[in-house]
Amino acid sequence: MGLLDGLMGNASEINLTEVEKELEVILIDGEVIEKGYKLIRDLFIFTNTRLIVVDKQGVTGKKIEYHSVPYKSITHFSVETAGTFDLDAELKIWVSSTAEPIKKQFKKDKSIFDVQKAIATYVLKR
């Protein structure tokens, strides 16, 4: 997966050394990035302690919201696959003490399952 996949709404695994530099301002001592995925401009970052969802906003992407979710706070998650007429798949992550889930749209492909599998690995093994 490459640049074209990212532009099409497909998640692609990212180079961790590039992301470490970008996230060094929010990582704590001893926290290590273990896996990451890019979805257009947004990122799913899996560290040894939490999931960081990076939501780049606006035309330039300079406004950034960082969702920091400890794995123990994820109560459940779901994948809704694309249908015949609905071309988007959707990932939802519910966090304790919140009514609405974190939602991300994916295009009709299998990359949503890569991200879901990473979430399952980190949440269920803790």
Side-chain angles (χ1 to χ4, degrees), residues 93-112:
I93 304 169
W94 282 266
V95 179
S96 60
S97 303
T98 61
E100 291 295 315
I102 297 170
K103 298 179 187 178
K104 292 293 174 184
Q105 297 285 326
F106 291 72
K107 293 298 176 197
K108 189 176 187 175
D109 77 334
K110 297 193 183 324
S111 67
I112 191 170

Side-chain angles (χ1 to χ4, degrees), residues 73-93:
S73 298
I74 297 175
T75 58
H76 68 282
F77 48 94
S78 71
V79 170
E80 181 180 303
T81 61
T84 304
F85 299 107
D86 179 14
L87 300 179
D88 293 329
E90 187 172 59
L91 173 69
K92 297 177 188 172
I93 304 169

Side-chain angles (χ1 to χ4, degrees), residues 4 7 11 24 28 34 36 39-40 43 45 53 56 60 68 70 72 78 80-81 90 94 106 108 113 115 121 124 126:
L4 185 59
L7 294 173
E24 69 183 356
I28 62 171
E34 296 179 348
L39 179 66
I40 305 175
L43 303 172
I45 306 300
V53 180
K56 295 186 178 182
T60 62
S68 178
K72 65 181 180 181
S78 71
E80 181 180 303
T81 61
E90 187 172 59
W94 282 266
F106 291 72
K108 189 176 187 175
F113 293 107
V115 177
T121 299
L124 299 176
R126 305 274 173 199

Side-chain angles (χ1 to χ4, degrees), residues 11-103:
S12 56
E13 199 158 353
I14 54 176
N15 183 327
L16 300 182
T17 54
E18 295 173 11
V19 175
E20 286 173 351
K21 188 75 172 160
E22 182 180 341
L23 297 180
E24 69 183 356
V25 295
I26 65 168
L27 296 175
I28 62 171
D29 290 340
E31 187 172 18
V32 178
I33 297 174
E34 296 179 348
K35 191 175 266 291
Y37 293 92
K38 185 172 190 169
L39 179 66
I40 305 175
R41 295 188 304 180
D42 297 342
L43 303 172
F44 290 92
I45 306 300
F46 296 90
T47 75
N48 57 329
T49 59
R50 62 182 162 162
L51 167 64
I52 302 170
V53 180
V54 181
D55 184 9
K56 295 186 178 182
Q57 303 169 6
V59 175
T60 62
K62 289 190 178 201
K63 182 177 179 180
I64 302 171
E65 182 174 15
Y66 298 93
H67 294 273
S68 178
V69 184
Y71 296 123
K72 65 181 180 181
S73 298
I74 297 175
T75 58
H76 68 282
F77 48 94
S78 71
V79 170
E80 181 180 303
T81 61
T84 304
F85 299 107
D86 179 14
L87 300 179
D88 293 329
E90 187 172 59
L91 173 69
K92 297 177 188 172
I93 304 169
W94 282 266
V95 179
S96 60
S97 303
T98 61
E100 291 295 315
I102 297 170
K103 298 179 187 178

